[in-house]
Each structure stands twice: as structure tokens, then as C-alpha cells.
């Protein structure tokens, strides 16, 4: 049996549920202030017209129907599920509407919680109150995009928010049962090892409970695709990503759950790098890097929360 040198999501789920836990992605029909003109119309450099949605989502159905279809067609055995409100900004609505949407996906006892993908500048105390009501009896994660703690890079990729916005959003969740999972990208234009270290240290200094790590990949229909074609941005080599992801894990607090270790893109949409399809070998590579260096998640982290 392979021993993981980081705190994986599977390990976390095993600690809270006797069943296997999976995720069901749903599309609640949101847009994003960084796309509808409120902040900008361009969106983030790497965002496509689907707002980074899973390919299997049946967007034309209400969310509770999407969950039912998934349970009927794709669920296995007696598995339990977290419903993931995935594409675009899933808190970008009036609080009362959000309340009904979030509650609607609890179609039976196999749904043990929700995960809400959003931006740090799209939550407020009223919305946190609604989410906390659900978190009192269910597993609830707020997946907040940070991508990097470097404000210069955040401007370059047109995120439309700052690292300070992320910190302020974290304050709003203080004292609640809501767990924040930060999204981070390694390989953003202009960034290098020092930026990855600073982002890891920034997150470790906050009460973040999870991290989703992605490599920068180029998908069709994005601004990064245009820049890549013109040779203005590059993607990382597989071995370099394995090393930098391993170094990132060394700096991250050991109690932070690692939800992902690389990005995922369908074959039809993927332009580069082609090793994006080698999920298992990259994850094994990162674990192998830690082993070879006699290291583990949090080895070089001094933050304690
Ligand atoms: S915040 Fe998310 S949905 Fe909005 S433009 Fe950026 S990646 Fe797309």
C-alpha cells in the first residue's frame, strides 16, 4: 500500500464518514461579476465560456434534478456525496435565492453536504449566515478562488480581486462551521518558486481548511489559448510541476486537506500541456518527490492555527 505524504481528501472523508464519499457537480445557472461587466467582461485569463464546468453537467435541469440524474446514472453502491456548485460564482445572487438553491440538492440521505465555488469578493455576512445554517448539520465547504497571493499576478490574470479580499472573506467565516478550500494555480504567467512559497505561507497563516492545487493548463476558448498560440505564455514541464507542487506541500500546514493536486481538463478542450491527462502519474510523482526528499506536507511550515 502506498503511503501518502500529504493529507488527501480521501483520508479526510474516511475520518468523517464510513461510506465512500464522492462529488456531484451541478450548474445552478450563475454568472460571474468578472464576466457580466460588474468588474469586467473579460473574465479571468484561464476561464472558458462554461465557467470551468464538468462536462457531464446537464445545465438545462434544475439543480435537484441534476443530482437525481447523477444518482440514477452514475452513482456507485452505497456511496455518499457532496454536491458541488461548480461553474461561475455560486454566491452571486440574493441571499434568499441562494438559500433555496443550496437546500434543494439534499434530495436524500446520500447527500451529506455541499461545496460552493465562489470568489472572495462575492460573500457577505448575510450569505455566510445562510451557509452556516446548512453547515450546522452538514458538511459544507466554501471553495474560494485565490490562485496566488501575488497581487501583481492577480492583475495580470484579470482576477478582479486582491489577496486582501481573500483575507477579508476568511474573516467572515471565523467562528462558523464553514470550511474554506482555497484554489491555487502553479505556473501562472510571470511566477516562479518564490511566488509559490509566498502563496503557501499566506494560506498557512489563515484558518483555511483545504487547498485545491492546479497546474496552469491551456483550454480552448480561453484568453490563455490566444496568448499561448502567440508564444506569450508557456506551460510547465511535468517534472517541474511535480517538484514545485511538492515544494508547495512542504510549506502548507499539515492539517490542511489537499482536495486536488492538479487541474483536470477534457481531451476535447485541452491544448497544453498534454501531461494534463496523466493524472495518476503526476500524483504519484509528487508523492515520490516528497519521499525521495524525506519530506511531507507541512515539513517546512512554521504557522500554527
Ligand atoms: S472568477 Fe471564476 S467564473 Fe469568474 S471569470 Fe474568473 S474563473 Fe471565470
Amino acid at each position: 500500500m502506498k503511503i501518502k505524504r500529504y493529507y488527501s481528501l480521501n483520508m479526510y472523508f474516511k475520518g468523517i464518514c464510513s461510506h465512500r464519499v464522492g462529488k456531484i457537480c451541478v450548474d445552478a445557472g450563475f454568472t460571474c461579476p468578472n464576466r457580466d461587466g460588474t468588474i469586467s467582461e473579460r473574465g479571468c485569463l484561464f476561464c472558458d465560456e462554461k465557467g470551468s464546468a464538468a462536462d457531464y453537467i446537464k445545465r438545462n435541469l434544475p439543480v435537484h434534478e441534476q443530482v437525481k440524474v447523477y444518482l440514477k446514472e452514475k452513482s456507485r453502491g452505497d456511496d455518499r456525496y457532496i454536491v458541488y456548485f461548480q461553474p461561475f460564482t455560486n454566491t452571486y445572487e440574493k441571499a434568499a435565492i441562494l438559500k433555496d438553491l443550496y437546500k434543494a440538492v439534499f434530495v436524500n440521505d446520500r447527500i451529506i453536504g455541499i461545496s460552493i465555488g465562489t470568489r472572495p469578493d462575492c460573500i457577505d455576512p448575510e450569505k455566510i449566515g445562510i451557509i452556516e445554517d446548512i453547515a450546522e448539520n452538514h458538511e459544507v465547504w466554501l471553495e474560494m478562488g485565490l490562485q496566488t497571493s501575488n497581487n501583481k499576478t492577480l492583475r495580470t490574470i484579470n482576477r478582479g480581486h486582491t489577496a486582501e479580499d481573500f483575507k477579508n472573506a476568511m474573516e467572515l467565516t471565523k467562528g462558523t462551521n464553514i470550511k474554506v478550500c482555497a484554489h491555487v494555480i502553479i505556473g501562472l504567467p510571470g511566477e516562479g518558486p518564490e511566488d509559490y512559497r509566498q502563496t503557501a505561507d499566506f494560506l498557512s497563516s489563515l484558518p483555511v481548511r483545504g487547498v485545491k492545487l492546479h497546474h496552469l493548463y491551456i483550454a480552448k476558448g480561453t484568453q490563455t489559448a490566444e496568448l499561448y498560440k502567440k508564444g506569450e505564455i508557456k506551460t510547465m514541464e511535468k517534472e517541474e510541476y511535480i517538484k514545485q507542487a511538492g515544494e508547495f506541500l512542504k510549506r502548507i500546514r499539515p492539517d490542511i486537506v489537499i482536495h486536488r493536486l492538479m487541474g483536470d481538463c477534457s481531451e476535447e478542450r485541452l491544448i497544453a500541456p498534454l501531461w494534463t491527462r496523466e493524472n495518476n502519474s503526476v500524483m504519484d510523482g509528487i508523492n515520490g518527490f516528497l519521499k525521495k526528499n524525506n519530506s511531507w506536507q507541512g515539513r517546512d511550515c512554521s504557522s500554527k492555527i
Side-chain angles (χ1 to χ4, degrees):
M1 195 182 77
K2 265 183 261 169
I3 296 172
K4 287 204 175 125
R5 289 173 174 255
Y6 57 90
Y7 187 16
S8 71
L9 187 59
N10 272 347
M11 287 159 80
Y12 170 77
F13 280 147
K14 274 184 189 153
I16 62 156
C17 184
S18 54
H19 298 265
R20 205 166 57 169
V21 181
K23 273 198 183 170
I24 301 175
C25 298
V26 295
D27 184 342
F30 290 104
T31 177
C32 170
N34 203 23
R35 278 194 163 269
D36 71 2
T38 306
I39 296 172
S40 97
E41 290 180 352
R42 278 173 58 207
C44 303
L45 240 52
F46 50 81
C47 184
D48 65 17
E49 79 280 358
K50 283 164 92 183
S52 310
D55 290 325
Y56 67 75
I57 294 180
K58 300 207 174 354
R59 342 180 60 181
N60 49 339
L61 296 178
V63 284
H64 65 281
E65 290 296 339
Q66 292 178 42
V67 174
K68 283 183 189 167
V69 169
Y70 186 98
L71 288 174
K72 195 168 160 218
E73 294 178 357
K74 291 188 188 290
S75 70
R76 287 184 293 188
D78 205 19
D79 290 357
R80 299 297 191 258
Y81 290 94
I82 304 280
V83 174
Y84 179 24
F85 289 83
Q86 188 191 32
F88 298 105
T89 302
N90 293 272
T91 53
Y92 190 40
E93 241 319 338
K94 289 192 181 76
I97 293 174
L98 293 176
K99 187 177 180 178
D100 290 344
L101 267 175
Y102 298 154
K103 290 196 167 168
V105 299
F106 290 92
V107 297
N108 63 32
D109 290 348
R110 293 177 71 190
I111 308 302
I112 62 164
I114 55 173
S115 197
I116 303 163
T118 190
R119 301 167 48 88
D121 54 359
C122 277
I123 57 169
D124 58 42
E126 191 185 8
K127 290 173 186 172
I128 288 295
I130 278 164
I131 299 168
E132 170 65 353
D133 274 352
I134 300 172
E136 275 174 8
N137 300 306
H138 299 94
E139 182 71 9
V140 175
W141 287 86
L142 196 58
E143 299 207 16
M144 271 202 303
L146 170 68
Q147 318 311 347
T148 170
S149 64
N150 182 329
N151 282 334
K152 185 167 172 267
T153 313
L154 288 172
R155 279 194 297 278
T156 304
I157 63 172
N158 198 43
R159 276 295 292 179
H161 67 72
T162 61
E164 291 69 36
D165 289 327
F166 186 91
K167 219 170 168 176
N168 294 338
M170 286 300 311
E171 274 296 308
L172 292 176
T173 65
K174 217 170 170 179
T176 70
N177 294 301
I178 303 166
K179 302 176 195 76
V180 173
C181 171
H183 289 205
V184 171
I185 299 178
I186 285 185
L188 287 170
E191 293 220 327
E194 185 52 30
D195 299 288
Y196 314 143
R197 265 195 293 278
Q198 281 180 14
T199 299
D201 292 351
F202 174 79
L203 289 174
S204 292
S205 72
L206 298 171
V208 166
R209 298 287 305 277
V211 165
K212 248 185 195 177
L213 201 59
H214 298 83
H215 64 298
L216 179 71
Y217 63 79
I218 312 295
K220 288 175 189 163
T222 60
Q223 294 166 72
T224 44
E226 297 306 314
L227 295 168
Y228 183 77
K229 264 188 238 159
K230 289 191 228 158
E232 289 176 23
I233 53 169
K234 290 195 171 93
T235 56
M236 286 174 112
E237 295 296 332
K238 181 176 164 184
E239 290 312 315
E240 181 60 11
Y241 179 71
I242 285 172
K243 180 177 176 214
Q244 296 308 334
E247 293 292 346
F248 182 91
L249 288 177
K250 282 161 70 178
R251 305 283 291 206
I252 274 285
R253 254 187 12 252
D255 62 288
I256 291 179
V257 183
I258 306 301
H259 287 230
R260 289 191 76 100
L261 273 178
M262 65 180 292
D264 186 26
C265 182
S266 68
E267 232 164 288
E268 303 78 60
R269 291 195 304 128
L270 180 68
I271 296 174
L274 296 181
W275 55 262
T276 299
R277 308 311 302 152
E278 298 169 20
N279 196 299
N280 287 342
S281 113
V282 175
M283 292 207 289
D284 286 349
I286 295 168
N287 209 43
F289 171 87
L290 292 173
K291 188 174 176 198
K292 198 170 127 200
N293 290 282
N294 188 27
S295 200
W296 52 87
Q297 179 181 342
R299 194 195 77 170
D300 300 343
C301 172
S302 52
S303 296
K304 285 192 176 60
I305 296 271

